[in-house]
Amino acid sequence: MKVPSAALALVLAASSASAFSTATSGWGVSSRRSAFVDSAARRKIPSQIGPRNRNGALIGRRRMASVEEDIVVVSGDSAATIASDIFFNDGFIPMNQAEAALSRKVARRSAAKYLEKFVGQTAASVIYQKLQENGVTVVNGYSGGAILPLLDQFHVNHPRHSADGAPAPIQWITNSNESSAGHIAEGFAKSADLGPDGKMQAGVVVATSGPGATNLITPITDAICDGVPMVVLCGQAATFAPEAAFQSCPAVEMTKPCTKWSYQIMSAAEVPFMMDYAFYIAREGRPGPVFIDLPKDLQNQVITKDLISEWTGQLVDDPNKEKFVSLSSRRRSGETFHSICLGDTEKSLPFEVTGEDENLKLQPIHSAASSDDEFVVDHHQTDMVYRSATGQNGNAVSAAEGDLEGSQAMTEMIELIKGAKKPVIIAGQGCNDAPEELKALAETLQIPVTTTLHAMGVFDERHPLALNMLGMHGHATPNFMVQEADLIINIGSRFDDRITGAIGSFIPEARKAAEEGRGGVIHVDIRKSEKAKQVEPTFFVHSTGKKFLQAVNRQLSTIGDPADITGRKIWLEYKSGLEKQYPVPIPHYKTETVTIDGPAGEPVEVQRTKMSAQYVAAEMNRILTEADRLDDAIYTTGVGIHQMVAAQHITWTQPRQLLSSGSLGTMGVALGYAIGAKLANGKRLVIAIDGDGSFNMTFTELKTVAEHKIPVKIIIFDNEADMMVEYWQRLFHEERYIAVANSNPDYMKLADSFGIKSIYCDHAEDLDGKLQQFLFEDVDEPVIMQVRIERTPCLPMVCPGKALDDMIHEDKDFNVDASAAPS
């Protein structure tokens, strides 16, 4: 081994005759056959267990070397020569053990050097500094005794903010409850501009222990389901508190199943590593939440040089990962070194300290290509293409793999795309950072594009190749075309059950084309663990959607005429025909003559037309289109009919334009998401579309809107019902309606109690003017609009257990399988 200069500095030479070779063949020199350990070091070697003679020596055994710190290396042959010498003998240890010991010492010294930047700071102070280092500008949360040391760091009068060169303080926003704080953090992360590294920014929540943590379980789970980066910091009872102390709870155990990582700190010394790892894990790979439990006494613990020395001295190789920070021996460029391994038993990643002095930082070691650890591979993309081992007519063929740039597997995949007659692109959330690349591929090869709920807008729906959303409540056209396609190119979606329908009936034509060698499935995902989890792909690409699209577009650009797309004209003509035959229905009502009170109380007859949710959403979309504000708007929704109606009837033009709870289906998120989106996008129009049932769950957060004058627009689709569930009870439970009727407050008085402007509309004749007022007046003020609508289902709908193209298109009674009610 070549000995790095840092390692040389750690070694004490026993004599002037000692020397080190810098030859590439190995580490060591001249005559002796191993590394020598001086008597002081030998005394530190723990005694071995076993029978001894009267001189104290072990009988029939040789002592194993176990030396860490006091190694003296003298002349010796190369490590290769002595590799077979694995026992400590006569004061000597094998060179490879000396290498490992020195490598550990280098790693400990680098960890200590990194921590020295924080000497004199408390753990709470370090956490705040790390939030700033990671670009955090706003934090939501709620107070409590167990989190006070950290909370104090946010006060504008804290001394840290008056220091010379201090960065701008982080904006602190107190919410009405911790659950809403979590949803606000999600809304921020979902909609904020990508960070300098091209990854999503993490939303940050701070809360106290006990109920503070338990109230965050729902937003944390929502975030893990939908791939939203969040860092959640909660207080905890002190480490010396008695069992079942006030507001203590097993927060780590509760959050571990719904986070990417959950951890309770054990020492202030590990906090810099903990915060670096928290942000890395939250944002790397498929994003998600992390949870950090902060005992109150450790928040106040000060990092000292003695604490650093004690803590780093305990860093050892730990294959079982019993500690958050451990060391791990690795090889790189022929040299042994120790990485700083962060994580736990099941999930850990290697890092190293790089840079000099104040620029020291923790850097990940990318090792996915040589790792069989699923967690490592899911966080370090290999950019590899994998071909299925099943060939034409089901015959086994040798599986192929290669990288995205010019490999045989890549070439075969490109040829498959070019040759397909009826291809469809399914664009998922993994495409959201690559709208231009997606558009380029679709236009070059004339491939129609459908999107999942979380990818709405990544492909502008004004484009003639846009199919709009597919799935349970998707448009009929993409549902039909996906089922009839000979090639599915799924970029950044995990084949969720809401887009596949009955999995056994999903994409029958593509499966047939795969068997015949003329099509199949190309699945691109950032996580290799998604390979063949739901659908067996013909090609699986372990990469980001952006890298895949860039690589394919580059290769197509070198081909000249990339494909014979004349045959696809028939496919696109079929698309146009389906769109005309199966438009998304908008329920309309006959105009009625009603009597109202006139200005002087006299009876007056007027014309009134009732409204459906679909009609209101379509009218709002028309008004924004005519005002040329489609690109400017961000929408959030709760969960229910209003959610799917918005997805169907609004024209989506930009990535991350629709913020909605997909996998978990969390009612009540619209207001929190909207606040977070406005905090992240101050100049954009943010509209929360909510149903009355969903809004009722979290309208206490109007307190935050009013207190901080956050100018969000909130429109309530009020039908006094949880209509989606009511429709299921109609179809599957013989109209036995229960727990679906809402007794709502007077929303106008509610808005007034918070000092928020309100607008009411209950008929179509007034809708245009009221929407104009709602959307474009009072630009810098929050506004609530209540719209009375009729109870209409959201159609089309794919019933559970049915194929994706087996949809209900009309609001009439059907014979259904009562055992297959949706969840």
Side-chain angles (χ1 to χ4, degrees):
M1 165 185 174
K2 245 187 188 177
V3 180
S5 59
L8 287 174
L10 300 176
V11 180
L12 299 174
S15 70
S16 59
S18 301
F20 290 88
S21 168
T22 57
T24 57
S25 58
W27 170 44
V29 289
S30 69
S31 60
R32 304 191 70 170
R33 300 183 57 83
S34 55
F36 181 75
V37 184
D38 74 0
S39 58
R42 293 177 64 185
R43 286 195 296 271
K44 293 186 178 184
I45 301 171
S47 298
Q48 301 294 308
I49 298 174
R52 299 174 179 273
N53 60 26
R54 57 184 138 175
N55 294 320
L58 288 170
I59 300 173
R61 296 183 59 181
R62 304 176 73 184
R63 290 172 291 172
M64 287 291 293
S66 178
V67 179
E68 291 290 329
E69 298 296 332
D70 295 278
I71 299 176
V72 180
V73 179
V74 294
S75 298
D77 289 340
S78 68
T81 306
I82 60 170
S84 60
D85 181 6
I86 62 170
F87 288 107
F88 180 91
N89 185 33
D90 297 329
F92 291 89
I93 63 170
M95 185 64 78
N96 61 346
Q97 292 189 25
E99 287 183 281
L102 289 175
S103 175
R104 274 188 290 272
K105 192 163 188 176
V106 170
R108 290 191 189 110
R109 291 285 179 91
S110 68
K113 190 70 174 175
Y114 181 57
L115 293 176
E116 286 174 5
K117 296 194 302 180
F118 306 99
V119 168
Q121 293 192 58
T122 64
S125 175
V126 173
I127 291 170
Y128 190 92
Q129 178 178 330
K130 283 295 181 180
L131 292 176
Q132 291 182 313
E133 287 180 11
N134 282 279
V136 176
T137 57
V138 59
V139 168
N140 290 270
Y142 204 84
S143 64
I147 199 61
L148 286 180
L150 176 58
L151 195 60
D152 183 53
Q153 302 289 320
F154 291 88
H155 198 285
V156 292
N157 293 331
H158 191 283
R160 71 177 307 131
H161 304 306
S162 59
D164 291 340
I170 297 170
Q171 182 183 10
W172 169 267
I173 293 181
T174 303
N175 306 117
S176 64
N177 59 73
E178 296 87 358
S179 185
S180 288
H183 296 316
I184 292 170
E186 286 188 273
F188 184 96
K190 282 171 174 274
S191 65
D193 291 340
L194 299 180
D197 56 1
K199 296 180 172 60
M200 294 176 70
Q201 297 185 51
V204 180
V205 185
V206 171
T208 194
S209 60
T214 59
N215 283 346
L216 281 161
I217 296 293
T218 296
I220 288 172
T221 306
D222 193 54
I224 195 70
C225 288
D226 284 351
V228 183
M230 275 208 319
V231 175
V232 181
L233 302 161
C234 281
Q236 182 58 275
T239 57
F240 52 78
E243 188 176 352
F246 178 70
Q247 288 194 339
S248 65
C249 72
V252 170
E253 289 78 1
M254 289 190 300
T255 55
K256 186 165 286 188
C258 54
T259 56
K260 293 184 71 175
W261 180 56
S262 182
Y263 181 68
Q264 182 183 95
I265 65 168
M266 302 298 175
S267 168
E270 67 185 9
V271 167
F273 293 100
M274 175 273 290
M275 289 297 292
D276 289 342
Y277 187 67
F279 274 91
Y280 182 82
I281 285 294
R283 302 176 65 241
E284 191 70 21
R286 185 177 189 260
V290 299
F291 179 88
I292 305 300
D293 206 31
L294 301 167
K296 186 173 183 179
D297 57 322
L298 295 184
Q299 293 177 54
N300 287 319
Q301 187 181 27
V302 177
I303 297 177
T304 64
K305 289 186 177 181
D306 286 344
L307 180 63
I308 292 172
S309 178
E310 177 186 357
W311 186 79
T312 56
Q314 296 172 358
L315 296 180
V316 295
D317 293 63
D318 183 12
N320 296 323
K321 282 301 295 164
E322 295 178 357
K323 293 184 178 181
F324 160 54
V325 185
S326 63
L327 303 179
S328 178
S329 180
R330 313 178 72 84
R331 299 285 292 178
R332 181 171 56 195
S333 302
E335 296 184 356
T336 295
F337 76 103
H338 271 75
S339 66
I340 298 172
C341 199
L342 305 180
D344 55 31
T345 304
E346 298 176 355
K347 302 174 181 179
S348 62
L349 296 173
F351 293 79
E352 62 183 337
V353 176
T354 63
E356 298 290 339
D357 300 326
E358 290 302 312
N359 295 319
L360 286 170
K361 58 182 178 179
L362 198 65
Q363 289 280 73
I365 298 171
H366 293 275
S367 56
S370 60
S371 176
D372 57 2
D373 185 313
E374 183 177 285
F375 186 73
V376 171
V377 176
D378 279 356
H379 286 82
H380 298 159
Q381 291 73 55
T382 57
D383 297 328
M384 296 289 286
V385 180
Y386 299 88
R387 188 186 68 194
S388 171
T390 303
Q392 191 170 339
N393 299 317
N395 297 323
V397 297
S398 60
E401 62 180 65
D403 60 39
L404 278 172
E405 299 296 338
S407 67
Q408 180 62 31
M410 180 69 170
T411 300
E412 292 177 7
M413 183 177 66
I414 293 289
E415 290 301 314
L416 191 69
I417 296 173
K418 288 169 53 183
K421 302 298 183 184
K422 298 187 295 182
V424 169
I425 294 172
I426 298 176
Q429 187 169 206
C431 283
N432 276 341
D433 61 345
E436 293 304 319
E437 292 87 348
L438 177 62
K439 179 182 176 183
L441 175 61
E443 289 182 342
T444 299
L445 297 183
Q446 289 296 287
I447 303 176
V449 180
T450 182
T451 53
T452 66
L453 181 69
H454 292 311
M456 305 294 283
V458 71
F459 194 80
D460 192 329
E461 291 185 350
R462 295 168 294 193
H463 197 286
L465 290 172
L467 289 170
N468 302 353
M469 184 180 75
L470 83 161
M472 181 178 178
H473 284 289
H475 289 234
T477 297
N479 285 3
F480 282 125
M481 293 188 73
V482 164
Q483 290 293 82
E484 297 178 39
D486 58 4
L487 179 66
I488 298 295
I489 307 171
N490 181 346
I491 310 172
S493 170
R494 57 189 174 88
F495 287 116
D496 180 82
D497 64 282
R498 280 301 200 257
I499 72 167
T500 65
I503 195 69
S505 303
F506 185 54
I507 54 170
E509 291 302 313
R511 294 176 194 263
K512 181 179 178 182
E515 292 178 357
E516 296 174 359
R518 56 181 177 82
V521 176
I522 296 171
H523 187 191
V524 183
D525 203 282
I526 199 169
R527 294 182 294 178
K528 191 178 178 184
S529 58
E530 287 298 317
K531 181 175 180 286
K533 183 177 285 187
Q534 301 294 336
V535 174
E536 180 67 42
T538 311
F539 287 92
F540 180 83
V541 181
H542 179 220
S543 188
T544 65
K546 190 178 186 74
K547 285 184 179 179
F548 165 79
L549 288 165
Q550 289 172 336
V552 171
N553 288 335
R554 274 196 301 270
Q555 187 146 336
L556 289 173
S557 68
T558 65
I559 294 174
D561 182 12
D564 178 10
I565 59 175
T566 55
R568 292 183 184 168
K569 291 182 180 179
I570 299 173
W571 183 230
L572 296 178
E573 288 170 359
Y574 179 61
K575 167 185 176 292
S576 298
L578 287 174
E579 289 169 338
K580 293 176 182 177
Q581 186 177 357
Y582 296 100
V584 178
I586 299 177
H588 292 276
Y589 296 89
K590 292 182 179 180
T591 301
E592 301 173 343
T593 300
V594 299
T595 301
I596 64 171
D597 292 335
E602 76 281 11
V604 178
E605 288 189 348
V606 295
Q607 302 296 301
R608 293 287 184 263
T609 307
K610 297 177 180 178
M611 299 178 291
S612 64
Q614 290 87 341
Y615 176 76
V616 175
E619 282 297 291
M620 183 163 60
N621 186 66
R622 176 188 62 79
I623 290 170
L624 287 166
T625 302
E626 292 174 355
D628 195 24
R629 295 294 297 276
L630 281 179
D631 294 350
D632 180 46
I634 295 175
Y635 301 82
T636 72
T637 76
V639 172
I641 290 292
H642 69 278
Q643 173 194 30
M644 293 294 99
V645 164
Q648 291 176 343
H649 292 279
I650 290 172
T651 304
W652 305 101
T653 65
Q654 302 291 316
R656 299 187 179 91
Q657 195 172 27
L658 171 61
L659 314 184
S660 193
S661 176
S663 295
L664 193 63
T666 308
M667 293 179 68
V669 299
L671 183 52
Y673 283 2
I675 294 171
K678 191 63 178 179
L679 292 173
N681 304 269
K683 295 183 179 180
R684 295 184 67 178
L685 175 63
V686 177
I687 305 167
I689 300 175
D690 218 346
D692 52 298
S694 194
F695 183 69
N696 288 347
M697 290 189 170
T698 53
F699 62 58
T700 55
E701 212 52 42
L702 291 175
K703 166 259 181 196
T704 302
V705 171
E707 180 182 349
H708 295 275
K709 298 188 181 303
I710 301 172
V712 294
K713 312 302 178 185
I714 305 157
I715 184 167
I716 306 166
F717 286 25
D718 178 15
N719 57 13
E720 297 184 337
D722 293 346
M723 186 58 211
M724 184 171 282
V725 179
E726 180 178 302
Y727 185 60
W728 296 343
Q729 289 176 340
R730 171 182 157 191
L731 288 180
F732 298 98
H733 298 282
E734 300 178 353
E735 300 186 41
R736 291 187 294 273
Y737 301 122
I738 184 171
V740 291
N742 298 325
S743 297
N744 295 329
D746 184 326
Y747 293 123
M748 300 299 96
K749 290 182 179 178
L750 179 68
D752 185 61
S753 70
F754 284 103
I756 297 174
K757 179 179 177 178
S758 61
I759 301 170
Y760 179 82
C761 183
D762 61 6
H763 56 277
E765 287 75 12
D766 275 359
L767 184 62
D768 184 280
K770 295 290 181 70
L771 281 175
Q772 296 278 358
Q773 182 184 359
F774 167 71
L775 292 169
F776 304 130
E777 294 184 9
D778 305 291
V779 175
D780 296 323
E781 297 290 334
V783 181
I784 293 175
M785 181 172 179
Q786 177 188 3
V787 183
R788 285 290 290 126
I789 58 172
E790 298 303 301
R791 298 184 181 182
T792 55
C794 180
L795 301 175
M797 171 178 150
V798 180
C799 285
K802 298 296 184 179
L804 184 62
D805 53 355
D806 187 355
M807 292 166 276
I808 297 175
H809 295 276
E810 300 178 77
D811 183 13
K812 60 184 182 180
D813 293 332
F814 291 88
N815 292 322
V816 297
D817 180 2
S819 66
S823 59

